[in-house]
Amino acid sequence: MARARKVTVSTDVHGHTAGWSETPEDTPATSVPDPTAAAFFDVDNTMMQGASIYWFARGLAARNYFTTGDLARFAWQQARFRLLATEHAGDMSQAKEAALAFIQGWRVDDVERLAEEIFDELMAPRIWAGTRRLAQRHLAAGERVWLVSAAPVEIGRVIAARLGLTGAIGTVAEVVDGAYTGRLVGDLMHGPAKADAVTQLAAVEGLDLSRCAAYSDSVNDLPMLSVVGRPVAINPDPALLRQARRRGWDVRDFRTGRRAVRIAVPSTAAAGLLVGAVSAGLALHRRRHRAG
């Protein structure tokens, strides 16, 4: 698949850094282009069932980067963090450090190649058909559609390209000579950072946020939902559902029967735990490879 290599990084007057990347110019043709309206979709539990970083880790485990036992243990830690709702400054710092460890030394080409393979194997079957239809409606109306995720922007871009969307906003890692340095450019794309990124992208692209839509399952994305004129709660958690009802927002739930069990990264702290597991697995794989 042809890749759009360029990642745009923008810093606003408040020092908030955002990064986004467009997919190749081979997305489906739209009707009448609308340059001032766009849609922004969260990924985890909004566009797909579960978390993209979890499925990425599952794919790495299948390739013997680490064991399924390691994966199960860190999946349990994700669930514990959701139940305890632990997310404070220390957790945020730990998550960022784990993200740095995950990417250090890896080549962008390798991450994108693995993301493509793992999307086709594990993520594609878990895309919510209803959410994808909503995205296609925006495209058909001539609007651009962006994914917004805490995952590295390169992984978000692969998912966007596979779904025929405009591009992705995500966490930006520093790259030198095609390899990750282990440093982030700005912070994790989470919570208020998503709203900042959407606002910056709107300024650069000439979007009218009052005409834009945003979709998410999590109350953590309340800032992003609040900066657009058409916020929609998708498969909402209880806290977001309460907010959506109070504010009169549209609610769509594509889960059937009993609420789906979420294999998710509900907080930045949990993201750090899982990324730490991936990091340890990659390090172990590299050691085994050198030893062999």
Side-chain angles (χ1 to χ4, degrees):
M1 181 187 74
R3 299 184 181 95
R5 292 289 180 190
K6 184 178 180 182
V7 174
T8 300
V9 178
S10 175
T11 303
D12 65 15
V13 294
H14 305 292
H16 301 148
T17 301
W20 54 86
S21 177
E22 293 192 32
T23 56
E25 294 291 336
D26 57 359
T27 54
T30 57
S31 54
V32 180
D34 187 341
T36 64
F40 301 95
F41 285 82
D42 171 54
V43 176
D44 300 345
N45 291 307
T46 301
M47 182 58 74
M48 73 167 61
Q49 182 178 0
S52 57
I53 192 65
Y54 175 82
W55 297 118
F56 186 64
R58 279 279 299 269
L60 293 178
R63 290 161 174 77
N64 297 318
Y65 284 89
F66 56 98
T67 70
T68 53
D70 293 333
L71 187 66
R73 183 171 63 257
F74 281 92
W76 161 246
Q77 289 177 307
Q78 291 180 63
R80 182 171 62 87
F81 270 88
R82 171 176 284 277
L83 292 173
L84 297 177
T86 52
E87 187 163 4
H88 49 75
D91 291 331
M92 297 286 279
S93 175
Q94 181 185 33
K96 185 171 181 177
E97 289 177 3
L100 295 175
F102 164 51
I103 58 179
Q104 186 173 9
W106 268 68
R107 298 197 61 79
V108 176
D109 285 349
D110 292 333
V111 170
E112 290 187 331
R113 173 182 54 79
L114 286 166
E116 289 172 355
E117 294 175 5
I118 293 168
F119 177 87
D120 294 339
E121 294 171 8
L122 298 176
M123 299 182 193
R126 293 170 173 88
I127 297 296
W128 292 109
T131 307
R132 188 172 187 178
R133 283 195 297 270
L134 291 173
Q136 292 298 323
R137 288 176 190 172
H138 284 284
L139 292 173
E143 301 173 6
R144 285 168 286 180
V145 177
W146 299 81
L147 297 179
V148 188
S149 174
V153 68
E154 289 82 8
I155 293 178
R157 180 172 63 207
V158 167
I159 298 172
R162 284 294 202 256
L163 296 178
L165 309 181
T166 307
I169 299 173
T171 299
V172 178
E174 184 181 67
V175 176
V176 175
D177 296 329
Y180 296 111
T181 66
R183 294 183 291 272
L184 294 186
V185 180
D187 292 316
L188 292 169
M189 189 59 60
H190 175 81
K194 289 187 178 182
D196 293 337
V198 166
T199 300
Q200 289 180 54
L201 179 60
V204 171
E205 297 291 330
L207 300 173
D208 179 354
L209 285 175
S210 69
R211 301 190 63 243
C212 292
Y215 300 82
S216 178
D217 75 297
S218 173
V219 73
N220 290 329
D221 287 338
L222 200 59
M224 178 179 74
L225 293 168
S226 299
V227 299
V228 300
R230 294 180 286 166
V232 181
I234 300 286
N235 306 327
D237 62 29
L240 179 59
L241 181 59
R242 287 193 296 271
Q243 289 287 339
R245 286 173 173 170
R246 183 173 68 82
R247 301 177 187 219
W249 293 348
D250 191 13
V251 176
R252 304 289 182 90
D253 199 327
F254 300 120
R255 297 166 292 188
T256 58
R258 297 181 61 184
R259 290 188 180 274
V261 175
R262 294 186 174 191
I263 305 172
V265 179
S267 68
T268 304
L273 283 173
L274 185 56
V275 170
V278 175
S279 172
L282 297 180
L284 177 62
H285 178 80
R286 287 194 293 269
R287 288 197 298 270
R288 288 174 177 171
H289 181 72
R290 287 196 294 265

